[in-house]
Amino acid sequence: MISPNPEMPPVLRIDNLAVAYKVRGGEVEAVQNVTFEIYRGETHAIVGESGCGKSTVAWAIVNFLGANGYVKRGSIKFQGQELVGRSGEDLRRLRGDQIAMVYQDPMQALNPSMLLGDQMKEVLTVHRGMSDEEAQERCVKMLERVYMPDPANVMQRYPHQISGGQQQRVVIAMALLNNPALLIMDEPTTALDVTVEAAVLDLIAELRRDFDTAIMFITHNLGVVARVANRVGVMYAGEMVERATVEQIYHHPQHPYTQGLMRCVPRLGADKSTSLLYPIRGRVPPPNNRPAGCIYHPRCDYARDRCREERPSLRQLPSGTLVRCHFSEEIDPALWKPSEELELPKAQAEAQDAEPILVVNNLKKYYPVSGSGLKDVLGLGRKRFVKALENVSFAVPKGKTLGVVGESGCGKSTLIKTLIGLEDATEGKAEFLGFDITGEIQQRDLRLIQEMQMVFQNPDSTMNPSYTIGQQIARPMLRFGTVPKDQVRSEVIRLLDAMRLGESYYDRLPRQLSGGEKQRVGIARALASRPDLVLCDEPVSALDVSVQAAILNLLMEVQHTLGTTLIFIAHDLSVVRFFSDYVAVMYLGQIVEIGPAEAIYSPPYHPYTEALLSAVPVPDPSVKVKHIRLEGTVPSAISPPSGCRFHTRCPRRSLLPDPEVCQSEPPWRSFGNQHRIYCHLSPETLSSFDPVMTTGR
């Protein structure tokens, strides 16, 4: 591949790297034959499914492989200096000075018992020998550089006293204090809100430009890659299988694995009625059981005898792309056809005008806040409440999906917890199948509990590690008597087959399953009682794109065959657009826009919806996205702004003749086809907004 800066040597050059771990009975090569380089001012993304070795390469660079891990062969050169074999003291001087790392979980890098200011200043006092006063001033300036509100005050706080997005900004600021030549970022935005993620990605682009830093960016989010990367390396089962510019990877992928990853991602404007996601069959082989020949051939649709017998080398094509495939020139991805089991199911016409199965009117949920003053202790103080839900109203037709989007703290999870009965409603009404469900769950009819189930974001927190998968799926069947006792096992196996797992999983324990497999078990358990309504709380947010595609297809198949109604919460708006029939946009406990999915994603927009859409990382570098960034954080739900709760952050407020009107309650604007927007801006003004996304191809 041609160097982006041919006159300059690379900041990092990795050549034929192999990383092994000593295990009982020998060793396992987790990474092998990895070669790439990163230049100054360049962001080089490393993508692939979990277990492909992306993070292992990063750990090898900074020598964090653990007691049983080591570089078996190959070279890691940083600014021309060989790192393999260097002493621990030499590497410690480089880490935190010339090489810095940002982790997926910022709490892995922050000491919970130290003030943030002390942790940041330590970087400068240890590596630069600065005085405490000088280090303090430098740290405050760097926090300002990463758009941290009130940085001097943040320096005096502990990590738990700031939000996750702010913690990540502190870690990034700390990594940049010494102006490192190489910045390694390992999934730094996975757990962040879409708006915070957009701010962090903007920041990364600025850092690359202003500091001329070389960035190694590890992620499984192909939308993020399209936004930040110059070049991309695709890893599979410990090997680099393709390397190219970001445009070549997205528009002309050469390796069958890269093409498979692209088919897993919802395209701009795609929805479940006209398209289908195509997950890659099978799974990444473990390091101790990799196949002979081409390592990808068991999952490849183009595999031949040569692929099973001969390991391909990484070779350069005339386009400049490096690919590890025997037949990449002969493969035309446009001619690829899915197998029959992945064909698009026919739409359910009968569900189009179905009656609502769930009707919610003016639902409120307040949490009392206890003070610590004497008046509060004596019960004489003014009562305060967290207003988590405020006048929420909507209806969901049977057999349809309502997507719910918004930033953290906007009330999405509180909404479905109140519906499922984990929280009591403060006021308002919610009717499911004609029955009131706002009371205590202990008083709820057993049939209602059977007909409404939930899929949680983290399956580990809802699965008993001591019980087998079969026992956990069988429990709802036994509890609700959905099938006779002598048929429970066969019904569990039928559900496991439907989840693409099979009978072999019946006697396995949760620890023997991958994250995606556990989530499928969670879906199977939710469906075991044959419910009419399933509430899904971020069920795919932490999953690889291929597993995510498989689970979304699975939920669509369930909806098609059983007529199940779904409420689907996610922070990835492209997934919500693809999967949902209707979308509700929430801000600070209120719905600010609701309507059919296709109406929500094109003008007219609520200003908050417009900002959310502009923050979405689109998996296509040719798509131009309008740059709208919200100032500040979501206000406190204890004391929300009067009138329109969004007016303190609204970028469109200046379009009003009298912006002060936003401090009064806005009207609902109707745009037909059940599309409504809660805003003071006139329908004409809202309709005049340009589309957030336009294609440049």
Side-chain angles (χ1 to χ4, degrees):
M1 183 186 295
I2 299 172
S3 161
N5 298 302
E7 72 283 356
M8 294 182 64
V11 172
L12 178 73
R13 185 188 295 278
I14 293 180
D15 187 37
N16 199 34
L17 178 69
V19 176
Y21 288 90
K22 295 177 181 176
V23 296
R24 184 179 301 172
E27 66 174 17
V28 171
E29 281 196 16
V31 166
Q32 52 192 357
N33 308 321
V34 170
T35 299
F36 65 94
E37 61 282 326
I38 308 177
Y39 293 81
R40 270 207 171 274
E42 178 189 39
T43 299
H44 191 290
I46 308 291
V47 301
E49 296 168 278
S50 295
C52 283
K54 306 185 298 295
S55 295
T56 302
V57 173
W59 297 130
I61 295 169
V62 294
N63 194 30
F64 278 174
L65 292 171
N68 65 329
Y70 62 99
V71 175
K72 183 176 181 181
R73 63 180 178 273
S75 169
I76 303 174
K77 288 186 177 178
F78 172 68
Q79 294 185 328
Q81 303 177 59
E82 180 62 61
L83 299 186
V84 177
R86 294 278 289 273
S87 70
E89 184 58 36
D90 286 345
L91 290 171
R92 271 191 294 274
R93 279 197 290 267
L94 281 174
R95 291 195 301 259
D97 184 14
Q98 293 298 304
I99 301 175
M101 189 160 182
V102 177
Y103 302 83
Q104 177 176 355
D105 180 4
M107 287 305 290
Q108 288 183 350
L110 296 173
N111 188 327
S113 64
M114 286 180 65
L115 291 172
L116 291 166
D118 292 341
Q119 298 185 57
M120 292 185 70
K121 288 187 290 186
E122 192 175 57
V123 175
L124 295 169
T125 55
V126 170
H127 291 286
R128 290 286 188 267
M130 283 188 183
S131 65
D132 189 78
E133 295 78 10
E134 196 178 359
Q136 170 83 16
E137 182 180 353
R138 176 80 177 273
C139 290
V140 170
K141 287 183 178 179
M142 188 55 73
L143 286 175
E144 291 174 347
R145 185 71 184 76
V146 299
Y147 306 111
M148 178 68 74
D150 196 8
N153 187 28
V154 168
M155 294 276 287
Q156 302 305 314
R157 297 183 188 177
Y158 289 94
H160 71 273
Q161 294 176 308
I162 61 175
S163 69
Q166 290 175 330
Q167 290 173 0
Q168 195 65 288
R169 295 187 199 199
V170 168
V171 172
I172 292 173
M174 194 184 306
L176 293 167
L177 281 171
N178 287 327
N179 191 14
L182 175 65
L183 180 61
I184 302 171
M185 310 190 87
D186 189 0
E187 300 271 15
T189 62
T190 297
L192 302 181
D193 277 332
V194 65
T195 50
V196 178
E197 177 184 61
V200 171
L201 296 180
D202 289 345
L203 177 62
I204 292 168
E206 290 179 22
L207 298 174
R208 187 183 73 199
R209 182 182 66 245
D210 297 347
F211 290 83
D212 206 26
T213 304
I215 299 175
M216 176 178 167
F217 196 99
I218 297 170
T219 184
H220 67 261
N221 188 323
L222 296 173
V224 169
V225 172
R227 177 170 285 186
V228 302
N230 305 100
R231 293 193 295 161
V232 183
V234 182
M235 286 194 69
Y236 179 76
E239 288 187 339
M240 192 74 77
V241 297
E242 185 168 359
R243 286 173 52 212
T245 65
V246 67
E247 290 81 9
Q248 289 170 321
I249 287 288
Y250 281 83
H251 298 150
H252 305 288
Q254 297 296 314
H255 196 281
Y257 178 60
T258 311
Q259 296 167 9
L261 289 178
M262 295 300 169
R263 287 191 287 265
C264 293
V265 183
R267 288 294 173 186
L268 187 64
D271 62 67
K272 63 181 179 181
S273 65
T274 58
S275 59
L276 190 67
L277 303 179
Y278 300 106
I280 304 171
R281 56 189 171 89
R283 57 191 296 182
V284 179
N288 60 350
N289 191 29
R290 288 173 179 157
C294 173
I295 211 164
Y296 184 63
H297 86 257
R299 304 175 74 188
C300 183
D301 295 322
Y302 307 99
R304 307 180 193 176
D305 290 341
R306 183 183 177 189
C307 303
R308 299 176 181 90
E309 299 165 359
E310 181 185 340
R311 182 67 58 92
S313 59
L314 193 67
R315 57 196 179 86
Q316 185 165 331
L317 303 179
S319 62
T321 297
L322 293 162
V323 62
R324 194 182 297 274
C325 177
H326 292 304
F327 306 107
S328 58
E329 295 95 332
E330 302 175 28
I331 296 171
D332 184 355
L335 300 179
W336 179 87
K337 292 183 179 180
S339 60
E340 290 184 4
E341 65 182 24
L342 288 175
E343 285 184 354
L344 189 69
K346 295 179 181 178
Q348 285 186 292
E350 65 274 15
Q352 188 67 34
D353 301 314
E355 288 293 317
I357 193 173
L358 175 69
V359 179
V360 177
N361 282 310
N362 296 321
L363 191 67
K364 295 183 180 180
K365 176 59 186 175
Y366 292 177
Y367 296 97
V369 179
S370 301
S372 56
L374 180 60
K375 285 186 177 181
D376 296 305
V377 173
L378 297 175
L380 303 175
R382 182 172 62 88
K383 289 186 178 180
R384 299 189 303 159
F385 299 90
V386 174
K387 299 176 181 178
L389 293 178
E390 189 77 64
N391 298 326
V392 171
S393 300
F394 61 87
V396 187
K398 180 172 175 57
K400 296 294 184 180
T401 299
L402 172 69
V404 184
V405 298
E407 295 168 282
S408 291
C410 287
K412 306 185 300 295
S413 293
T414 302
L415 172 62
I416 63 171
K417 285 179 181 177
T418 305
L419 295 176
I420 199 72
L422 296 176
E423 302 284 358
D424 299 331
T426 304
E427 282 184 31
K429 193 172 184 180
E431 287 190 350
F432 172 58
L433 296 173
F435 294 91
D436 184 13
I437 56 171
T438 54
E440 294 184 2
I441 194 169
Q442 292 87 346
Q443 301 173 354
R444 189 174 290 186
D445 186 271
L446 189 65
R447 177 171 171 259
L448 290 181
I449 297 174
Q450 175 183 347
E451 297 294 353
M452 185 188 298
Q453 293 293 313
M454 187 164 176
V455 178
F456 294 86
Q457 178 176 3
N458 182 4
D460 281 320
S461 64
T462 60
M463 296 177 72
N464 190 322
S466 303
Y467 284 78
T468 67
I469 299 306
Q471 289 172 318
Q472 300 195 49
I473 298 175
R475 190 172 184 274
M477 298 179 186
L478 296 170
R479 179 73 176 86
F480 299 114
T482 50
V483 294
K485 286 187 178 181
D486 61 344
Q487 297 177 22
V488 167
R489 181 182 176 90
S490 61
E491 180 66 10
V492 171
I493 293 172
R494 187 189 69 79
L495 271 176
L496 287 171
D497 288 337
M499 301 296 120
R500 309 283 193 269
L501 293 175
E503 185 177 358
S504 63
Y505 283 78
Y506 190 98
D507 294 314
R508 296 190 192 183
L509 292 170
R511 60 180 172 80
Q512 296 174 295
L513 274 62
S514 70
E517 289 170 337
K518 290 176 187 174
Q519 195 61 284
R520 295 185 196 201
V521 171
I523 295 171
R525 187 174 56 184
L527 297 174
S529 66
R530 299 179 183 173
D532 281 334
L533 177 64
V534 177
L535 310 177
C536 303
D537 188 5
E538 299 269 15
V540 298
S541 60
L543 303 179
D544 288 330
V545 290
S546 183
V547 178
Q548 173 182 280
I551 287 179
L552 290 176
N553 284 348
L554 181 59
L555 288 171
M556 286 192 293
E557 184 178 335
V558 166
Q559 188 171 51
H560 170 71
T561 55
L562 302 179
T564 308
T565 308
L566 299 170
I567 295 182
F568 186 85
I569 290 177
H571 69 256
D572 187 335
L573 274 74
S574 59
V575 169
V576 172
R577 168 68 181 93
F578 173 81
F579 187 67
S580 302
D581 301 293
Y582 301 91
V583 175
V585 182
M586 292 192 70
Y587 182 79
L588 204 57
Q590 293 182 325
I591 290 178
V592 297
E593 183 169 5
I594 188 167
E598 63 272 13
I600 299 291
Y601 285 75
S602 58
Y605 307 113
H606 188 281
Y608 180 58
T609 308
E610 184 184 33
L612 286 181
L613 289 171
S614 75
V616 177
V618 181
D620 187 342
S622 68
V623 172
K624 307 301 179 186
V625 182
K626 192 188 300 183
H627 190 277
I628 302 171
R629 297 293 179 264
L630 298 178
E631 299 293 330
T633 56
V634 179
S636 169
I638 297 176
S639 181
S642 60
C644 173
R645 294 187 171 184
F646 184 59
H647 80 260
T648 56
R649 303 171 72 199
C650 182
R652 296 288 190 175
R653 191 181 175 195
S654 60
L655 297 177
L656 286 162
D658 178 16
E660 297 305 313
V661 73
C662 292
Q663 296 184 38
S664 62
E665 288 292 329
W668 278 102
R669 310 287 192 185
S670 179
F671 294 87
N673 194 25
Q674 304 177 59
H675 182 201
R676 298 184 301 139
I677 296 176
Y678 190 59
C679 186
H680 282 290
L681 291 169
S682 69
E684 294 74 23
T685 302
L686 292 170
S687 299
S688 69
F689 292 176
D690 293 327
V692 168
M693 301 176 193
T694 54
T695 180
R697 296 183 68 183

